Amino acid sequence: MGGKTKAALLAAASLTLVLAVAAVASAATRVGFAVSPNKARYGAEVTMTPSIDATAYPGDKFEIEVFTEAGAWEKWGEGLAVEETMTPGTSGIVHAEPLTILLDESLRYPAILRAVYVPKSSSVAPAASDPAVLRLIRNGATKVKPKVPHSARRNKAFYISAAVLPLSGPGRVKVSIKRVGSKSTHSRTMVTDSEGSATSKVTLKTAGRYTITFKFMSNAFGGASKSVKKYITVK
């Protein structure tokens, strides 16, 4: 066999191998994953929509995974179960029921996410989408709105509260209580919930007029607020 003949056969074999690999690649299930919007503030709605270029059957599932600081993919949330057969239309793509979440502290931002198609049938291999990034828009400034009763009895408990706007996730409100004319100041911290609210019980032993100052301390979702003063008379 001449050199040219051998070269031709090798070239033909290589081409056949490339075409075979391409055929396998084209036959593989392709998973899509859209996150909208891809930037949002704390508490905002974010929609995640997986898709697939094949028929999905009841019992199949789309898992959502997050890329962790440890450098591994980890399941996040409950995922989306396929409840009825979904067949691609003219677009060749089937979109799963969208998953709507509220951006919160359950993720670290920017969050790298992907969808993984997990078929019920063991004869079909799972497939993952390309990663999508969800970024946080941090509130540059916040406001704290405190509530303090006008008066109270000494040695009798009363409640103070604070609300932080815009929503900036769980955080700390520093509270300073000082009797007018006194040099000493009592400080405490109130922890806000996911709705930005916090409540604390206070008991003051000495009669007089008091200044109560509130300040939200900055966190990952929002900047610090200005200090706000309220007054209460203890009888």
Side-chain angles (χ1 to χ4, degrees):
M1 184 181 294
K4 290 184 178 180
T5 304
K6 287 183 179 180
L9 289 174
L10 286 172
S14 297
L15 179 60
T16 301
L17 179 60
V18 169
L19 291 174
V21 171
V24 171
S26 63
T29 301
R30 293 193 297 271
V31 179
F33 186 50
V35 176
S36 179
N38 59 9
K39 294 180 180 180
R41 299 182 189 276
Y42 184 90
E45 286 192 353
V46 176
T47 300
M48 302 179 180
T49 309
S51 61
I52 190 174
D53 68 344
T55 300
Y57 299 95
D60 295 352
K61 193 171 185 179
F62 290 95
E63 299 283 8
I64 308 298
E65 293 185 343
V66 60
F67 194 69
T68 67
E69 289 184 312
W73 289 100
E74 184 178 277
K75 179 182 174 182
W76 181 79
E78 297 299 320
L80 294 163
V82 177
E83 297 181 354
E84 59 184 24
T85 301
M86 299 189 301
T87 304
T90 55
S91 66
I93 300 294
V94 168
H95 292 89
E97 188 72 22
L99 171 66
T100 300
I101 67 166
L102 297 180
L103 189 147
D104 61 14
E105 64 279 4
S106 64
L107 291 169
R108 293 179 66 89
Y109 302 94
I112 302 174
L113 303 158
R114 71 177 183 180
V116 178
Y117 173 63
V118 183
K120 181 180 180 181
S121 172
S122 59
S123 62
V124 181
S129 71
D130 290 335
V133 180
L134 174 59
R135 301 183 187 279
L136 170 72
I137 301 175
R138 187 172 184 264
N139 296 316
T142 56
K143 293 182 179 179
V144 60
K145 294 188 174 182
K147 286 187 178 181
V148 175
H150 295 294
S151 61
R153 296 280 185 180
R154 61 189 182 92
N155 295 319
K156 294 289 186 179
F158 62 93
Y159 289 89
I160 60 174
S161 62
V164 177
L165 295 172
L167 285 179
S168 296
R172 298 175 297 117
V173 175
K174 183 180 178 181
V175 180
S176 300
I177 304 173
K178 185 178 185 298
R179 183 165 59 88
V180 175
S182 173
K183 294 181 179 180
S184 62
T185 300
H186 167 71
S187 297
R188 65 174 61 194
T189 298
M190 297 197 303
V191 179
T192 61
D193 57 21
S194 59
E195 298 298 321
S197 299
T199 301
S200 182
K201 184 167 69 173
V202 180
T203 301
L204 298 173
K205 298 180 179 180
T206 305
R209 184 170 172 78
Y210 288 79
T211 301
I212 305 181
T213 304
F214 298 78
K215 180 181 177 67
F216 177 71
M217 312 305 288
S218 65
N219 66 3
F221 304 103
S225 71
K226 294 181 178 179
S227 296
V228 178
K229 292 183 178 181
K230 290 289 184 177
Y231 296 93
I232 184 171
T233 299
V234 177
K235 303 176 181 178

